[in-house]
Amino acid sequence: NRRARRAPGLHERVSSVRYSLSMASISVAPIALVSTRSEPRKVPHGMWRSASPRAAFMRPRANADGGHPRPTRRNMIQAAGLGSIFPFGDKSSPANAKRSPVGGGGSGVTNEVVETVNGMRQRRLGGGDIVVSEFGLGTQRWGSADFNAPDEAMCHKFMDYAVLEKGVSMVDTAEQYPIPSDRGKPEGDTERIIGSWMKKDKSRREKLVIATKITSSSNVTKKNIRKDLEGSLTRLGTDYVDVYTLHWPARYTPQSNWGQSLMYHVEQEQAPWYKNAASFEEIAEAMGEMIAEGKLRGWGMCNDNAYGLTASCYAARAVGAPPPCVLQNDFSIINRRIEENGVTEASSPVHENVGFMAYNVLAGGVLTGKYLDVAAAVDNPQDPELAEKLLRDPRGRMDDYSWGKTLYRYRSGPAEVATRQYAALAEEAGMSLTEMSLRWCRQRAGVTTTLLGHTSMAQLEETLKYFDASVPKLPQDLMWAIDRVHMQNRLLIFSSDRVGADWEGSGEIGERIP
């Protein structure tokens, strides 16, 4: 276990670290005083700071945009002479000696624009050489048993248009896709569909950045990471995957993909399916081996949080593996959680330098506005005739009984109030709610790429219009109006005005709340 790996006397060494760091910042202060001017100096990404002792720990290299280099904690660790405790601080340590230029361990700046291809900006994902389009194809329902799922022929048309004509490189999938699946459309079939498209022309593989996922919880072991990745490679018909992520954490965490669970319940750590969860070190070692063998370029996690991201980075350094290059999470104009719970801070180039892939950016279709005039089928109990009509002829997944129940969080009372306010702002600005929601997401500083699924070519063509490099950012007055709506309730999809007194700690789909 993790405790067994700790060096003797670590508590005393950490206390010494704190003292040494504080003394280091004092002792090197004169080095920074190359100028006594009090006016601010320019540093990367448009931020302004006054001259400070941190200047002594600036990277020697300049940023890609020619600006000043940025300060990092690793330089401070080196200057304080603490490399033996923190592997990343000592260039001669095994962790640094084995570090690969791929994934998150390189010298690039995550989210920076590297080039533009056919009108589509390409951004760096993490600190390595993985570069992705700022819009990515979401494939969860490709070839699924869903009522409006695109079949294999339509999926190929999506890729023909997006990849071959519009510069899209990012395709996100999973070994568990399609969802929902059945005997005729089994799990893994989405990867096969992507592979059959690539098989038509060998040059297509180099046009794609493929991210796929391992089914998580107790399935995540060092052995299964290898086995499942090799299964994905077979279905995709390729000898490497660009990005491999845990579909959700191996450990217990309430910040999952379903329902409104937010509170951490300590006793859940002892549940049988979590008690012996793979450690961060075991996962990092397995991913590092796959990278060393050339079967993988970078790795990360999905549906995780700032703790999981940072712990994974530190574990990778400790075992000499490349750190993760990406975190993928639910994110939209009605769910800014990652910006305000430490994820964007942790993944910043100043800290862990990890990319971010946003999904559910239209909140399961809610942010198209199509459920505002007539509520989703499952939200019409007082009008069973209307509900039955919508279930027979659904407008989208919210009119499907299963999806509608599962994704109820996007239609909570507070979420609906905000969605109506955002729709009014969009109308006033002369655009659709869909356009405003997508353009808002595209310009968030912490987002590398925005993933979105489609059921028709018309939907895909509309999306790609908003991600063309010629489309300007939303005006500042509109961004501020959006922020003012956000300030009324900052956790919309985790709020509810209809929790029953007799529910006894359960949410609407049986999940544990609060």
Side-chain angles (χ1 to χ4, degrees), residues 299-378:
W299 68 283
M301 60 289 301
C302 185
N303 298 310
D304 211 326
N305 54 30
Y307 168 68
L309 169 64
T310 308
S312 296
C313 290
Y314 276 71
R317 296 184 191 111
V319 302
C325 67
V326 68
L327 174 64
Q328 178 179 339
N329 261 22
D330 191 326
F331 180 70
S332 69
I333 202 170
I334 62 170
N335 181 22
R336 299 194 192 186
R337 193 163 43 117
I338 66 105
E339 293 182 330
E340 300 178 342
N341 72 353
V343 168
T344 300
E345 177 185 3
S347 59
S348 166
V350 173
H351 300 302
E352 301 303 340
N353 199 27
V354 173
F356 180 77
M357 299 195 297
Y359 77 87
N360 265 349
V361 294
L362 290 180
V366 166
L367 291 173
T368 64
K370 60 187 172 186
Y371 302 107
L372 291 178
D373 293 334
V374 179
V378 294

Coordinates of all heavy atoms in Angstrom, one line a residue, residues 299-378:
W299 N -1.4 10.0 -21.6 CA -2.5 9.4 -20.8 C -3.1 10.4 -19.9 O -2.6 11.5 -19.8 CB -2.0 8.2 -20.0 CG -1.0 8.5 -18.9 CD1 0.3 8.9 -19.1 CD2 -1.3 8.6 -17.5 NE1 0.9 9.1 -17.9 CE2 0.0 8.9 -16.9 CE3 -2.4 8.4 -16.8 CZ2 0.0 9.1 -15.5 CZ3 -2.3 8.5 -15.4 CH2 -1.1 8.9 -14.8
G300 N -4.2 10.0 -19.3 CA -4.9 11.0 -18.4 C -6.1 10.3 -17.7 O -6.1 9.1 -17.6
M301 N -7.0 11.1 -17.3 CA -8.2 10.6 -16.6 C -9.4 11.4 -17.0 O -9.4 12.5 -17.5 CB -8.0 10.7 -15.1 CG -7.7 12.1 -14.5 SD -6.2 12.8 -14.9 CE -5.0 11.6 -14.2
C302 N -10.6 10.8 -16.8 CA -11.9 11.4 -17.1 C -12.8 11.3 -15.9 O -12.6 10.4 -15.1 CB -12.5 10.6 -18.3 SG -14.0 11.2 -19.0
N303 N -13.7 12.3 -15.8 CA -14.6 12.3 -14.6 C -13.9 12.3 -13.3 O -14.3 11.7 -12.3 CB -15.6 11.2 -14.7 CG -16.4 11.2 -16.0 OD1 -17.0 12.3 -16.3 ND2 -16.5 10.1 -16.7
D304 N -12.8 13.0 -13.2 CA -12.0 13.1 -12.0 C -11.9 14.5 -11.5 O -12.6 15.4 -12.0 CB -10.5 12.6 -12.3 CG -9.9 11.9 -11.1 OD1 -10.2 12.4 -9.9 OD2 -9.2 10.9 -11.2
N305 N -11.1 14.8 -10.5 CA -11.0 16.1 -9.9 C -9.6 16.6 -9.8 O -8.7 15.9 -10.2 CB -11.8 16.1 -8.6 CG -11.3 15.0 -7.7 OD1 -10.1 14.7 -7.7 ND2 -12.2 14.5 -6.8
A306 N -9.4 17.7 -9.1 CA -8.1 18.3 -8.9 C -7.2 17.4 -8.1 O -6.0 17.3 -8.4 CB -8.2 19.7 -8.3
Y307 N -7.7 16.7 -7.1 CA -6.9 15.8 -6.3 C -6.4 14.7 -7.2 O -5.2 14.3 -7.2 CB -7.7 15.2 -5.2 CG -7.0 14.1 -4.5 CD1 -5.8 14.2 -3.8 CD2 -7.5 12.8 -4.6 CE1 -5.2 13.1 -3.3 CE2 -6.9 11.7 -4.1 CZ -5.7 11.9 -3.4 OH -5.1 10.8 -2.8
G308 N -7.3 14.1 -8.0 CA -6.9 13.0 -8.9 C -5.8 13.4 -9.9 O -4.9 12.6 -10.2
L309 N -6.0 14.6 -10.4 CA -5.1 15.1 -11.4 C -3.7 15.3 -10.8 O -2.7 14.8 -11.3 CB -5.6 16.4 -12.0 CG -4.6 17.2 -12.9 CD1 -4.2 16.5 -14.1 CD2 -5.2 18.6 -13.2
T310 N -3.6 16.0 -9.7 CA -2.3 16.3 -9.1 C -1.7 15.1 -8.5 O -0.4 14.9 -8.7 CB -2.5 17.4 -8.0 OG1 -3.3 18.5 -8.5 CG2 -1.2 17.9 -7.4
A311 N -2.4 14.2 -7.9 CA -1.8 13.0 -7.4 C -1.3 12.1 -8.5 O -0.2 11.5 -8.3 CB -2.9 12.2 -6.6
S312 N -1.9 12.1 -9.6 CA -1.4 11.3 -10.8 C -0.1 11.9 -11.3 O 0.8 11.2 -11.6 CB -2.5 11.3 -11.9 OG -3.6 10.6 -11.5
C313 N 0.0 13.2 -11.3 CA 1.2 13.9 -11.8 C 2.4 13.6 -10.8 O 3.5 13.2 -11.3 CB 1.0 15.4 -11.9 SG -0.1 15.9 -13.2
Y314 N 2.1 13.6 -9.5 CA 3.2 13.4 -8.6 C 3.6 11.9 -8.6 O 4.8 11.6 -8.5 CB 2.8 13.8 -7.2 CG 3.1 15.3 -7.0 CD1 2.3 16.3 -7.6 CD2 4.1 15.7 -6.1 CE1 2.5 17.6 -7.4 CE2 4.4 17.1 -6.0 CZ 3.6 18.0 -6.6 OH 3.8 19.4 -6.4
A315 N 2.6 11.0 -8.7 CA 2.9 9.6 -8.8 C 3.7 9.2 -10.0 O 4.7 8.4 -9.9 CB 1.6 8.8 -8.8
A316 N 3.4 9.8 -11.1 CA 4.2 9.6 -12.3 C 5.6 10.0 -12.2 O 6.6 9.3 -12.5 CB 3.6 10.3 -13.5
R317 N 5.9 11.1 -11.6 CA 7.2 11.6 -11.3 C 8.0 10.6 -10.4 O 9.2 10.3 -10.6 CB 7.3 13.0 -10.8 CG 6.7 14.0 -11.7 CD 6.8 15.5 -11.2 NE 6.0 16.4 -12.0 CZ 4.9 17.0 -11.6 NH1 4.4 16.8 -10.4 NH2 4.3 17.8 -12.4
A318 N 7.3 10.2 -9.4 CA 7.9 9.3 -8.4 C 8.3 8.0 -9.0 O 9.3 7.4 -8.6 CB 6.9 9.0 -7.2
V319 N 7.6 7.5 -10.0 CA 8.0 6.2 -10.6 C 8.7 6.3 -11.9 O 9.0 5.3 -12.6 CB 6.7 5.3 -10.8 CG1 6.0 5.1 -9.5 CG2 5.8 5.9 -11.8
G320 N 9.0 7.5 -12.3 CA 9.8 7.8 -13.5 C 9.0 7.6 -14.8 O 9.6 7.3 -15.8
A321 N 7.7 7.9 -14.7 CA 6.8 7.8 -15.9 C 6.4 9.2 -16.4 O 6.4 10.1 -15.6 CB 5.6 6.9 -15.6
P322 N 6.1 9.3 -17.7 CA 5.6 10.6 -18.1 C 4.3 11.0 -17.4 O 3.5 10.1 -17.2 CB 5.3 10.4 -19.6 CG 6.2 9.2 -20.0 CD 6.2 8.3 -18.8
P323 N 4.2 12.2 -17.0 CA 2.9 12.6 -16.2 C 1.8 12.7 -17.2 O 1.9 12.7 -18.4 CB 3.3 14.0 -15.7 CG 4.3 14.5 -16.6 CD 5.1 13.3 -17.1
P324 N 0.5 12.7 -16.7 CA -0.6 12.7 -17.5 C -0.6 14.0 -18.4 O -0.1 15.1 -17.9 CB -1.8 12.7 -16.6 CG -1.3 13.1 -15.3 CD 0.2 12.6 -15.3
C325 N -1.3 14.0 -19.5 CA -1.3 15.1 -20.4 C -2.7 15.7 -20.5 O -2.9 16.8 -21.1 CB -0.8 14.8 -21.8 SG -1.9 13.6 -22.7
V326 N -3.7 15.0 -19.9 CA -5.1 15.5 -20.0 C -6.0 15.1 -18.9 O -5.8 14.0 -18.3 CB -5.7 15.0 -21.4 CG1 -5.9 13.5 -21.4 CG2 -7.0 15.7 -21.7
L327 N -7.0 15.9 -18.6 CA -8.2 15.6 -17.8 C -9.4 15.9 -18.7 O -9.5 16.9 -19.3 CB -8.2 16.4 -16.5 CG -9.4 16.2 -15.6 CD1 -9.5 14.8 -15.1 CD2 -9.4 17.2 -14.5
Q328 N -10.4 15.0 -18.7 CA -11.6 15.2 -19.4 C -12.8 15.2 -18.5 O -12.9 14.3 -17.6 CB -11.8 14.0 -20.4 CG -13.0 14.1 -21.3 CD -13.2 13.0 -22.3 OE1 -12.2 12.4 -22.6 NE2 -14.4 12.7 -22.7
N329 N -13.6 16.2 -18.5 CA -14.7 16.4 -17.6 C -15.9 17.1 -18.2 O -15.8 17.8 -19.3 CB -14.3 17.1 -16.4 CG -14.0 16.2 -15.2 OD1 -13.6 15.1 -15.3 ND2 -14.0 16.8 -14.0
D330 N -17.0 16.9 -17.6 CA -18.3 17.6 -17.9 C -18.0 19.1 -17.7 O -17.5 19.5 -16.7 CB -19.3 17.1 -16.9 CG -20.7 17.5 -17.3 OD1 -20.9 18.6 -17.8 OD2 -21.7 16.7 -17.0
F331 N -18.4 19.9 -18.7 CA -18.2 21.4 -18.6 C -19.1 22.1 -19.6 O -19.3 21.7 -20.8 CB -16.7 21.7 -19.0 CG -16.4 23.2 -18.9 CD1 -16.3 23.8 -17.7 CD2 -16.1 23.9 -20.1 CE1 -16.0 25.2 -17.6 CE2 -15.8 25.2 -20.0 CZ -15.8 25.9 -18.8
S332 N -19.7 23.1 -19.1 CA -20.6 23.9 -20.0 C -20.9 25.2 -19.3 O -20.5 25.5 -18.2 CB -21.9 23.1 -20.2 OG -22.7 23.1 -19.0
I333 N -21.7 26.0 -20.0 CA -22.0 27.3 -19.5 C -22.9 27.2 -18.2 O -23.0 28.1 -17.4 CB -22.8 28.2 -20.5 CG1 -22.7 29.7 -20.2 CG2 -24.2 27.7 -20.7 CD1 -23.2 30.5 -21.4
I334 N -23.5 26.0 -18.0 CA -24.3 25.8 -16.8 C -23.5 24.8 -15.8 O -24.1 24.4 -14.8 CB -25.7 25.3 -17.0 CG1 -25.7 23.9 -17.7 CG2 -26.5 26.3 -17.8 CD1 -27.1 23.3 -17.8
N335 N -22.3 24.5 -16.1 CA -21.5 23.7 -15.2 C -20.0 24.1 -15.3 O -19.2 23.5 -16.0 CB -21.7 22.2 -15.6 CG -20.8 21.3 -14.6 OD1 -20.5 21.7 -13.5 ND2 -20.5 20.1 -15.1
R336 N -19.7 25.1 -14.6 CA -18.3 25.7 -14.6 C -17.4 25.0 -13.5 O -16.4 25.6 -13.2 CB -18.3 27.2 -14.4 CG -19.0 28.0 -15.4 CD -18.6 29.4 -15.2 NE -19.5 30.4 -15.9 CZ -19.2 31.7 -16.0 NH1 -18.1 32.1 -15.4 NH2 -20.0 32.5 -16.7
R337 N -17.9 23.9 -13.0 CA -17.2 23.4 -11.8 C -15.7 23.3 -11.9 O -15.0 23.6 -10.9 CB -17.8 22.0 -11.5 CG -17.6 21.4 -10.1 CD -18.5 20.3 -9.8 NE -18.7 19.5 -10.9 CZ -18.4 18.2 -11.0 NH1 -17.8 17.6 -10.0 NH2 -18.6 17.5 -12.1
I338 N -15.2 22.9 -13.0 CA -13.7 22.6 -13.1 C -13.0 23.9 -13.0 O -11.8 23.9 -12.5 CB -13.4 21.9 -14.4 CG1 -13.6 22.8 -15.7 CG2 -14.0 20.6 -14.5 CD1 -12.4 23.4 -16.3
E339 N -13.6 25.1 -13.3 CA -12.9 26.4 -13.2 C -12.8 26.8 -11.8 O -12.0 27.7 -11.4 CB -13.6 27.4 -14.0 CG -13.5 27.2 -15.5 CD -14.2 28.3 -16.3 OE1 -15.1 28.9 -15.8 OE2 -13.7 28.5 -17.5
E340 N -13.7 26.3 -10.9 CA -13.9 26.9 -9.6 C -13.6 25.8 -8.5 O -13.7 26.2 -7.3 CB -15.3 27.4 -9.4 CG -15.5 28.6 -10.4 CD -16.9 29.1 -10.4 OE1 -17.8 28.5 -9.8 OE2 -17.1 30.3 -10.9
N341 N -13.2 24.6 -8.8 CA -12.9 23.6 -7.8 C -11.4 23.2 -7.8 O -11.1 22.2 -7.2 CB -13.8 22.4 -7.9 CG -13.5 21.5 -9.1 OD1 -12.7 21.9 -9.9 ND2 -14.2 20.4 -9.2
G342 N -10.6 23.9 -8.5 CA -9.2 23.6 -8.5 C -8.6 22.9 -9.7 O -7.4 22.8 -9.9
V343 N -9.5 22.4 -10.6 CA -9.0 21.7 -11.8 C -8.2 22.7 -12.7 O -7.1 22.4 -13.2 CB -10.1 21.0 -12.5 CG1 -9.6 20.5 -13.9 CG2 -10.6 19.8 -11.7
T344 N -8.8 23.8 -13.1 CA -8.1 24.7 -14.0 C -6.8 25.3 -13.3 O -5.8 25.5 -14.0 CB -9.1 25.9 -14.3 OG1 -10.2 25.4 -15.0 CG2 -8.4 26.9 -15.3
E345 N -6.9 25.5 -12.0 CA -5.6 25.9 -11.3 C -4.6 24.8 -11.4 O -3.4 25.1 -11.8 CB -6.0 26.2 -9.9 CG -4.7 26.6 -9.1 CD -5.0 26.8 -7.6 OE1 -6.2 26.5 -7.2 OE2 -4.1 27.1 -6.8
A346 N -4.9 23.6 -11.1 CA -3.9 22.5 -11.1 C -3.4 22.3 -12.5 O -2.2 22.0 -12.7 CB -4.6 21.2 -10.6
S347 N -4.2 22.4 -13.5 CA -3.8 22.0 -14.9 C -3.1 23.2 -15.6 O -2.6 23.0 -16.7 CB -5.0 21.6 -15.7 OG -6.0 22.5 -15.8
S348 N -3.0 24.4 -15.0 CA -2.4 25.5 -15.6 C -0.9 25.3 -16.0 O -0.3 24.5 -15.3 CB -2.4 26.7 -14.6 OG -1.6 27.7 -15.0
P349 N -0.5 25.9 -17.1 CA 0.9 25.7 -17.4 C 1.9 26.1 -16.3 O 3.0 25.6 -16.3 CB 1.1 26.7 -18.6 CG -0.3 26.8 -19.2 CD -1.2 26.7 -18.0
V350 N 1.5 27.0 -15.4 CA 2.4 27.4 -14.3 C 2.5 26.2 -13.3 O 3.5 26.1 -12.6 CB 1.8 28.6 -13.6 CG1 2.5 28.9 -12.3 CG2 1.8 29.8 -14.6
H351 N 1.5 25.3 -13.3 CA 1.5 24.2 -12.3 C 1.8 22.9 -13.0 O 2.9 22.6 -13.3 CB 0.2 24.2 -11.5 CG 0.0 25.5 -10.7 ND1 1.0 26.0 -9.8 CD2 -1.0 26.4 -10.8 CE1 0.5 27.1 -9.3 NE2 -0.6 27.4 -9.9
E352 N 0.7 22.1 -13.3 CA 1.0 20.8 -13.8 C 1.0 20.7 -15.4 O 1.4 19.7 -15.9 CB -0.1 19.8 -13.3 CG -0.1 19.6 -11.8 CD 1.3 19.2 -11.2 OE1 2.1 18.7 -12.0 OE2 1.5 19.5 -10.0
N353 N 0.5 21.8 -16.0 CA 0.7 21.9 -17.5 C -0.1 20.7 -18.2 O 0.5 20.0 -19.0 CB 2.1 21.9 -17.9 CG 2.3 22.5 -19.3 OD1 1.5 23.3 -19.8 ND2 3.4 22.1 -19.9
V354 N -1.3 20.6 -17.8 CA -2.2 19.4 -18.3 C -3.3 20.0 -19.1 O -4.0 21.0 -18.7 CB -2.7 18.6 -17.2 CG1 -3.7 17.5 -17.7 CG2 -1.5 17.9 -16.4
G355 N -3.6 19.4 -20.3 CA -4.7 19.8 -21.1 C -6.1 19.4 -20.5 O -6.2 18.6 -19.6
F356 N -7.1 20.0 -21.1 CA -8.5 19.7 -20.7 C -9.4 19.5 -21.9 O -9.5 20.3 -22.8 CB -9.0 20.8 -19.8 CG -10.4 20.6 -19.3 CD1 -10.7 19.7 -18.2 CD2 -11.5 21.2 -19.9 CE1 -11.9 19.4 -17.8 CE2 -12.8 20.9 -19.5 CZ -13.0 20.0 -18.4
M357 N -10.1 18.4 -21.9 CA -11.1 18.1 -22.9 C -12.5 18.2 -22.3 O -12.8 17.5 -21.3 CB -10.9 16.7 -23.5 CG -9.6 16.5 -24.1 SD -9.4 15.0 -25.2 CE -9.7 13.7 -24.0
A358 N -13.3 19.1 -22.8 CA -14.7 19.4 -22.2 C -15.7 18.5 -23.0 O -15.7 18.4 -24.2 CB -15.0 20.9 -22.4
Y359 N -16.6 17.9 -22.2 CA -17.7 17.2 -22.9 C -19.0 17.6 -22.2 O -19.1 18.3 -21.2 CB -17.5 15.7 -22.8 CG -17.8 15.0 -21.4 CD1 -19.1 14.6 -21.1 CD2 -16.8 14.8 -20.5 CE1 -19.4 14.0 -19.9 CE2 -17.1 14.2 -19.3 CZ -18.3 13.8 -19.0 OH -18.6 13.3 -17.7
N360 N -20.1 17.2 -22.9 CA -21.5 17.7 -22.5 C -21.6 19.2 -22.5 O -22.3 19.8 -21.6 CB -21.9 17.1 -21.1 CG -22.7 15.8 -21.2 OD1 -23.1 15.4 -22.3 ND2 -22.9 15.1 -20.1
V361 N -21.0 19.8 -23.4 CA -20.9 21.3 -23.5 C -22.3 21.9 -23.8 O -22.5 23.0 -23.6 CB -19.9 21.7 -24.5 CG1 -18.5 21.4 -24.0 CG2 -20.1 21.2 -25.9
L362 N -23.2 21.0 -24.4 CA -24.6 21.5 -24.6 C -25.5 20.8 -23.6 O -26.8 20.9 -23.8 CB -25.0 21.2 -26.0 CG -24.4 22.1 -27.1 CD1 -24.9 21.7 -28.5 CD2 -24.6 23.5 -26.9
A363 N -25.0 20.3 -22.5 CA -25.8 19.8 -21.4 C -26.8 18.8 -21.9 O -28.0 18.9 -21.5 CB -26.4 20.9 -20.6
G364 N -26.4 17.8 -22.7 CA -27.4 16.8 -23.1 C -28.5 17.4 -24.0 O -29.5 16.8 -24.2
G365 N -28.2 18.5 -24.7 CA -29.1 19.1 -25.6 C -29.9 20.2 -25.0 O -30.6 21.0 -25.7
V366 N -29.9 20.4 -23.7 CA -30.6 21.4 -23.0 C -30.2 22.8 -23.5 O -31.1 23.7 -23.7 CB -30.4 21.3 -21.5 CG1 -30.9 22.6 -20.7 CG2 -31.1 20.1 -20.9
L367 N -28.9 23.0 -23.8 CA -28.4 24.3 -24.2 C -28.7 24.6 -25.7 O -28.2 25.6 -26.2 CB -27.0 24.5 -23.8 CG -26.7 24.6 -22.3 CD1 -25.2 24.6 -22.0 CD2 -27.4 25.9 -21.7
T368 N -29.5 23.8 -26.3 CA -30.0 24.1 -27.7 C -31.3 24.9 -27.5 O -31.7 25.6 -28.4 CB -30.3 22.9 -28.5 OG1 -31.3 22.1 -27.9 CG2 -29.1 22.0 -28.7
G369 N -31.9 24.9 -26.3 CA -33.1 25.6 -26.0 C -34.4 24.8 -26.4 O -35.5 25.3 -26.2
K370 N -34.2 23.6 -26.9 CA -35.4 22.9 -27.4 C -36.3 22.3 -26.4 O -37.4 21.9 -26.7 CB -35.0 21.8 -28.4 CG -34.1 20.7 -27.8 CD -33.6 19.7 -28.9 CE -32.6 18.7 -28.4 NZ -32.1 17.9 -29.5
Y371 N -35.9 22.4 -25.1 CA -36.8 21.9 -24.1 C -37.4 23.0 -23.2 O -38.0 22.8 -22.2 CB -36.0 20.9 -23.1 CG -35.4 19.7 -23.9 CD1 -34.1 19.6 -24.1 CD2 -36.3 18.7 -24.3 CE1 -33.5 18.6 -24.8 CE2 -35.7 17.6 -25.0 CZ -34.4 17.6 -25.2 OH -33.8 16.5 -25.9
L372 N -37.2 24.3 -23.7 CA -37.7 25.4 -22.9 C -39.2 25.6 -23.1 O -39.9 25.9 -22.1 CB -36.9 26.7 -23.3 CG -35.5 26.7 -22.8 CD1 -34.8 28.0 -23.3 CD2 -35.3 26.6 -21.3
D373 N -39.7 25.6 -24.3 CA -41.1 25.8 -24.5 C -42.0 24.6 -24.1 O -43.0 24.7 -23.5 CB -41.4 26.1 -26.0 CG -40.8 27.4 -26.4 OD1 -40.6 28.3 -25.5 OD2 -40.4 27.6 -27.6
V374 N -41.5 23.4 -24.4 CA -42.2 22.2 -24.0 C -41.1 21.3 -23.2 O -40.1 20.9 -23.8 CB -42.7 21.4 -25.2 CG1 -43.4 20.1 -24.7 CG2 -43.7 22.2 -26.0
A375 N -41.4 21.1 -22.0 CA -40.4 20.3 -21.1 C -40.2 18.9 -21.6 O -41.0 18.4 -22.4 CB -41.0 20.3 -19.7
A376 N -39.1 18.3 -21.2 CA -38.8 17.0 -21.5 C -39.9 16.0 -21.1 O -40.6 16.3 -20.2 CB -37.5 16.6 -20.9
A377 N -40.0 14.9 -21.8 CA -41.1 13.9 -21.6 C -41.2 13.6 -20.1 O -42.3 13.5 -19.6 CB -40.9 12.7 -22.5
V378 N -40.1 13.3 -19.5 CA -40.2 12.8 -18.1 C -40.5 13.9 -17.1 O -40.7 13.7 -15.9 CB -38.9 12.1 -17.7 CG1 -38.7 10.8 -18.4 CG2 -37.7 13.1 -17.8

